[in-house]
């Protein structure tokens, strides 16, 4: 009978302990996200069901209002709050110009944080979170990262934070992810902030112009998808 090598057995223990600790940390992160989502929706549901209430919240914070808004935007998508809703709220609270600026800063910070989370959690863990239906998208991001991320920022057919996690779990470089995010978010952010600003007068020409421009932006994204040599979807 072959003797069991005690050294080999002992050498596996640190690896096993490290693996267990890493899984525990990952589960803790998911628990915080889920718990935070539930708390945020229960305590401040009015912020998201009626974005006009964000203006009152911003006024209450005074000079710190823009900082509070940017922090909310940075963490909001991680707690399942649609980025478009946050941007519309920014337009309502600050107008088109500053609503766009603050939304871009908050959105970019949130995208970087979620990307880092996706990279830390790893491919298999992220796939379990976002679902198998995004597996093919993960493969395409690996091959054509910049083009895919740029398109999906302009035409958000995938939930904002799911895309951030997928990108983090993919082999895309941070450089490509960052610049595709920065460039791709600009048109939609400005247009949704414009829409938010126009919501104060929902029957005005400004409001219908905002809707028209948003539709045109989505249409341009669809044209890009059809003519691009990079395969965006199946």
């Amino acid at each position: 009978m072959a003797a069991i090598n005690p050294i080999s057995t002992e050498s596996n223990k640190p690896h096993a302990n490290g693996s267990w600790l890493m899984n525990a940390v990952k589960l803790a992160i998911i628990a915080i996200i889920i718990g935070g989502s539930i708390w945020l929706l229960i305590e401040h549901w009015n912020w998201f069901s009626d974005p006009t209430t964000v203006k009152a919240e911003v006024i209450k914070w005074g000079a710190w209002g823009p900082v509070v808004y940017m922090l909310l935007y940075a963490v909001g998508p991680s707690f399942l709050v649609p980025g478009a809703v946050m941007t519309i709220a920014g337009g309502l609270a600050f107008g088109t110009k500053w609503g766009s600026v603050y939304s871009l800063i908050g959105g970019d910070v949130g995208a970087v944080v979620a990307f880092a989370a996706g990279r830390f959690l790893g491919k298999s863990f992220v796939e379990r979170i976002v679902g198998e239906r995004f597996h093919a998208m993960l493969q395409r991001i690996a091959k054509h990262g910049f083009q895919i991320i740029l398109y999906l920022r302009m035409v958000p057919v995938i939930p904002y934070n799911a895309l951030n996690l997928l990108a983090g779990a993919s082999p895309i470089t941070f450089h490509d992810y960052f610049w595709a995010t920065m460039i791709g978010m600009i048109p939609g952010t400005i247009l949704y902030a414009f829409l938010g600003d126009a919501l104060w007068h929902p029957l005005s020409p400004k409001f219908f112009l905002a809707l028209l421009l948003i539709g045109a932006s989505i249409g341009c994204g669809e044209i890009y998808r059809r003519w691009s040599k990079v395969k965006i979807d199946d």
Side-chain angles (χ1 to χ4, degrees):
M1 180 182 295
I4 298 176
N5 188 344
I7 297 178
S8 175
T9 303
E10 290 297 325
S11 65
N12 289 330
K13 288 184 178 179
H15 175 73
N17 291 336
S19 178
W20 178 87
L21 179 61
M22 185 63 70
N23 288 332
V25 171
K26 291 177 179 180
L27 289 173
I29 292 173
I30 300 304
I32 290 172
I33 291 175
I34 294 174
S37 300
I38 295 172
W39 175 84
L40 195 64
L41 291 174
I42 291 175
E43 292 295 319
H44 300 291
W45 172 249
N46 60 310
W47 290 358
F48 313 117
S49 60
D50 182 10
T52 58
T53 58
V54 174
K55 186 175 181 68
E57 190 70 21
V58 167
I59 292 173
K60 185 172 73 175
W61 283 92
W64 286 95
V67 177
V68 172
Y69 171 77
M70 287 185 286
L71 289 175
L72 282 173
Y73 201 122
V75 302
S78 295
F79 295 133
L80 311 181
V81 180
V85 172
M86 293 298 299
T87 307
I88 290 171
L92 280 162
F94 304 106
T96 303
K97 177 183 175 181
W98 290 109
S100 299
V101 171
Y102 298 146
S103 295
L104 281 171
I105 294 173
D108 287 334
V109 170
V112 170
V113 171
F115 177 86
R119 190 133 293 186
F120 171 75
L121 293 171
K123 178 181 176 181
S124 60
F125 203 84
V126 168
E127 283 186 333
R128 289 199 296 271
I129 296 172
V130 301
E132 293 183 0
R133 66 194 180 98
F134 291 128
H135 176 76
M137 181 59 68
L138 190 61
Q139 302 303 314
R140 285 192 286 275
I141 292 175
K143 293 181 180 179
H144 307 286
F146 182 89
Q147 295 94 325
I148 298 292
I149 297 298
L150 181 65
Y151 168 78
L152 292 175
R153 292 304 188 200
M154 297 177 67
V155 185
V157 295
I158 292 180
Y160 177 83
N161 216 50
L163 175 60
N164 296 338
L165 289 172
L166 281 168
S170 76
I172 187 177
T173 65
F174 177 75
H175 178 274
D176 284 350
Y177 171 80
F178 179 78
W179 286 110
T181 295
M182 285 281 289
I183 297 170
M185 284 182 62
I186 290 174
T189 298
I190 294 174
L191 292 178
Y192 279 105
F194 182 45
L195 176 62
D197 191 21
L199 278 178
W200 293 113
H201 305 285
L203 296 179
S204 66
K206 183 178 179 179
F207 174 77
F208 291 107
L209 176 61
L211 293 178
L212 178 64
L213 290 174
I214 290 172
S217 176
I218 294 174
C220 288
E222 179 64 15
I223 292 172
Y224 172 80
R225 182 188 69 82
R226 291 179 178 275
W227 288 94
S228 175
K229 294 180 180 179
V230 175
K231 187 175 177 60
I232 303 294
D233 53 13
D234 293 323

